[in-house]
Amino acid sequence: MPKLGMEPIRKAALVRATILEVGRAGSLDVTVSQIARRAGMSAALAHHYFGSKEQIFLAAMRHILSLYGAEVRGALVAAEGGPRARLRAIVRASFAPGSFRAEVIGAWLNFYVLAQTLPEAKRLLSVYQRRLQSNLVHDLRPLIGLRAEAAARGLGALIDGVYIREVLRRGAPDGAAAAALVMEHLERELDGQG
């Protein structure tokens, strides 16, 4: 079995530390030194691996998006009952405990802000939005036909909006309540009342 070098371990530690520091600060107003300190290494080593704070943050968002993608894929594989069950699975996966926790929600909010000025962040956000739209349309189309595109855009905006509102809420994130809110809207769309 090949020996795992220190670089992937340290990069993973920096990614986790970035998510925690951004969540703690509530903004990207954290330093590479703070991130590195939380990861148990020097700022010079963090710069060596990533180059800049923006690149560290982008790596953290890629990590968050990859966990989210795995959550959605797993939920879709387990969904039984056709398109309606698959749509519910996507909504539940969007608010699963791995993705819907305070520090990850804070990272998402800051990701939206960074996407306004950093082309690579904008591209990454666009990839996420297109995948969500595609997944939703795939299962909405057999149920509501031509309204699928618009309904998917609305559901995607609602999912993103719930994340943004969660930042302002007190207490621990409530994924079940968040999913229930989006589910209610989904059911109205499916019943032709959306």
Side-chain angles (χ1 to χ4, degrees):
M1 180 187 277
K3 183 178 176 184
L4 184 63
M6 286 306 292
E7 183 174 345
I9 295 168
R10 288 180 179 149
K11 281 184 170 182
L14 285 165
V15 163
R16 283 190 305 276
T18 301
I19 294 166
L20 291 170
E21 281 298 312
V22 169
R24 179 197 57 76
S27 75
L28 292 176
D29 199 19
V30 297
T31 65
V32 173
S33 293
Q34 289 170 303
I35 293 167
R37 191 175 319 113
R38 183 176 283 268
M41 62 190 81
S42 71
L45 198 53
H47 279 291
H48 169 74
Y49 287 134
F50 291 101
S52 69
K53 181 173 75 170
E54 286 79 17
Q55 291 304 311
I56 296 172
F57 186 67
L58 285 171
M61 283 313 302
R62 281 188 203 94
H63 175 74
I64 287 169
L65 285 166
S66 123
L67 293 176
Y68 169 72
E71 189 81 43
V72 169
R73 285 188 302 278
L76 288 172
V77 166
E80 294 179 7
R84 194 176 277 250
R86 289 173 52 86
L87 288 163
R88 289 183 185 126
I90 292 168
V91 171
R92 279 192 301 277
S94 295
F95 301 104
S99 297
F100 202 65
R101 57 183 206 271
E103 64 273 12
V104 175
I105 294 167
W108 269 106
L109 184 63
N110 286 285
F111 182 47
Y112 289 117
V113 172
L114 188 63
Q116 294 178 44
T117 58
L118 189 65
E120 195 173 346
K122 184 175 185 172
R123 184 194 63 74
L124 194 56
L125 181 58
S126 177
V127 167
Y128 152 73
Q129 289 172 333
R130 284 193 315 267
R131 283 184 184 156
L132 178 59
Q133 177 76 9
S134 174
N135 281 334
L136 292 170
V137 166
H138 177 268
D139 290 309
L140 283 165
R141 191 168 283 131
L143 299 170
I144 61 174
L146 296 176
R147 292 189 308 113
E149 292 281 340
R153 279 193 304 276
L155 285 167
L158 185 55
I159 289 168
D160 290 348
V162 169
Y163 269 78
I164 292 168
R165 283 188 166 203
E166 191 64 32
V167 170
L168 303 174
R169 207 173 73 76
R170 290 194 182 272
D174 185 348
L181 175 68
V182 177
M183 247 14 138
E184 185 178 314
H185 181 74
L186 171 62
E187 293 304 325
R188 280 196 308 272
E189 280 291 345
L190 296 178
D191 294 338
Q193 302 166 19

